[in-house]
Amino acid sequence: MSQLSTKHLLGIKNLTEEDIQLILDTAANFKEVINRPIKKVPSLRDITIANVFFENSTRTRLSFELAEKRLSADVVNFSSANSSVKKGETLVDTVNNILSMKVDMVVMRHSSPGAPHFLSRNVNANIVNAGDGTHEHPTQALLDAFSIKEKLGDVAGKKVAIIGDILHSRVALSNIFCLQKLGAEVMVCGPITLLPKYIASLGVKVELDVKKALQWCDVANVLRIQLERQQIKYFPSLREYSLYYGINKKLLSQLDKEIVIMHPGPINRGVELSSDVADSEHSIILEQVQNGVAVRMAVLYLLAGTKG
Ligand code: CP
């Protein structure tokens, strides 16, 4: 197979295993390209891509922009904070106005779950979800899978514990779908208040004790406490969260094996992860960021080859 089964990347849920493998294989080729002295290829020379961000981002926005430039696409960047959205313009009107300037693809981050799905039904362009609220973050899950495969040789058969604020995390949901489709075992771990009630129905193991989760897994993907999405208190204090769920060198030294530490960023140092772990030889956090460019190049390149 050399083409994706979809013209949009809205989530991992609707991708086939073949789609995911195709993206990871294509990303491996692009990783080789971006490590060359000349990092640019002409693959998307006649394509224009708009990065439309209604929510803050450092890694995802810069990574998409670099991926687009490495593929020789033309790029425009839109940030809602200084746009006519502030004057009341709707999402569909905003994007249709951008598309009327001969834009072909839209990469969108939005705080509302389902916003990219809605957009894909109402505008004529390839849509890439760069994170929709608490729902999905498909390119993060793809770059996480790529990074696990690169570090451990394969994803199939590996045990991955996702630890932290599962309730508010789009990274958790996309990772669960992606890892399971690739044959990994998945566990979620966190305070009971930060685990969605439906989570066990997704076929994941559920663990409240972080020490047991760390002892079980090959890879711990540690998530940030998303205070900005929490309208009520889910735990007494950040200090208390850190005492019971924070991952530090002492905890890792008590395990009878070495595990890989991942984090999608941004890290709240000293809350979910101590600096002596985030910056240690166990951590592949910056490799994840580096791999994000190759994975996003693969996604954009493959979507550009789909028929509308
Ligand atoms: N991992 C991630 O999505 O980071 P940003 O919010 O900085 O894009």
Side-chain angles (χ1 to χ4, degrees), residues 53 55-61 109 130 137 140 143 170-171 224 263-266 296:
F53 276 64
E55 214 189 50
N56 295 342
S57 170
T58 298
R59 279 147 291 272
T60 312
R61 198 182 65 74
R109 171 168 287 192
H137 192 351
Q140 181 69 45
L143 75 87
R170 53 195 174 208
V171 174
R224 182 173 67 89
H263 193 302
R296 289 175 175 120

Side-chain angles (χ1 to χ4, degrees), residues 195-257:
L195 301 176
K197 288 192 174 63
Y198 63 80
I199 199 73
S201 70
L202 298 180
V204 298
K205 293 180 187 301
V206 179
E207 177 60 67
L208 303 182
D209 183 334
V210 76
K211 287 182 194 164
K212 288 184 181 163
L214 293 173
Q215 187 57 54
W216 174 84
C217 71
D218 302 306
V219 178
N221 195 349
V222 186
L223 304 180
R224 182 173 67 89
I225 295 294
Q226 300 197 37
L227 288 176
E228 74 276 21
R229 298 195 205 277
Q230 299 181 12
Q231 266 77 55
I232 58 169
K233 263 183 167 306
Y234 290 86
F235 48 86
S237 68
L238 282 177
R239 189 163 173 273
E240 191 140 342
Y241 179 85
S242 177
L243 272 173
Y244 286 93
Y245 286 96
I247 294 170
N248 54 43
K249 201 94 180 178
K250 188 168 166 224
L251 262 183
L252 294 190
S253 70
Q254 289 165 1
L255 306 177
D256 59 22
K257 60 179 183 179

Side-chain angles (χ1 to χ4, degrees), residues 111-286:
S111 56
S112 294
H117 306 67
F118 169 75
L119 199 63
S120 71
R121 293 192 294 273
N122 287 283
V123 304
N124 185 23
N126 301 96
I127 306 296
V128 182
N129 180 2
D132 61 327
T134 54
H135 183 216
E136 280 225 45
H137 192 351
T139 56
Q140 181 69 45
L142 291 164
L143 75 87
D144 289 344
F146 185 95
S147 303
I148 292 171
K149 190 174 174 187
E150 187 177 65
K151 182 74 181 172
L152 300 179
D154 205 348
V155 177
K158 298 295 178 292
K159 294 177 176 175
V160 182
I162 306 173
I163 300 171
D165 184 356
I166 311 295
L167 185 66
H168 300 98
S169 175
R170 53 195 174 208
V171 174
L173 198 56
S174 285
N175 259 272
I176 290 167
F177 292 142
C178 190
L179 293 166
Q180 287 180 336
K181 283 175 198 256
L182 293 174
E185 278 186 81
V186 185
M187 173 186 280
V188 294
C189 174
I192 192 85
T193 50
L194 290 176
L195 301 176
K197 288 192 174 63
Y198 63 80
I199 199 73
S201 70
L202 298 180
V204 298
K205 293 180 187 301
V206 179
E207 177 60 67
L208 303 182
D209 183 334
V210 76
K211 287 182 194 164
K212 288 184 181 163
L214 293 173
Q215 187 57 54
W216 174 84
C217 71
D218 302 306
V219 178
N221 195 349
V222 186
L223 304 180
R224 182 173 67 89
I225 295 294
Q226 300 197 37
L227 288 176
E228 74 276 21
R229 298 195 205 277
Q230 299 181 12
Q231 266 77 55
I232 58 169
K233 263 183 167 306
Y234 290 86
F235 48 86
S237 68
L238 282 177
R239 189 163 173 273
E240 191 140 342
Y241 179 85
S242 177
L243 272 173
Y244 286 93
Y245 286 96
I247 294 170
N248 54 43
K249 201 94 180 178
K250 188 168 166 224
L251 262 183
L252 294 190
S253 70
Q254 289 165 1
L255 306 177
D256 59 22
K257 60 179 183 179
E258 302 228 318
I259 64 168
V260 177
I261 300 290
M262 302 174 68
H263 193 302
I267 304 170
N268 281 328
R269 286 177 181 262
V271 179
E272 71 269 8
L273 204 54
S274 65
S275 284
D276 60 10
V277 174
D279 305 328
S280 73
E281 69 284 2
H282 300 285
S283 160
I284 59 165
I285 293 169
L286 291 180

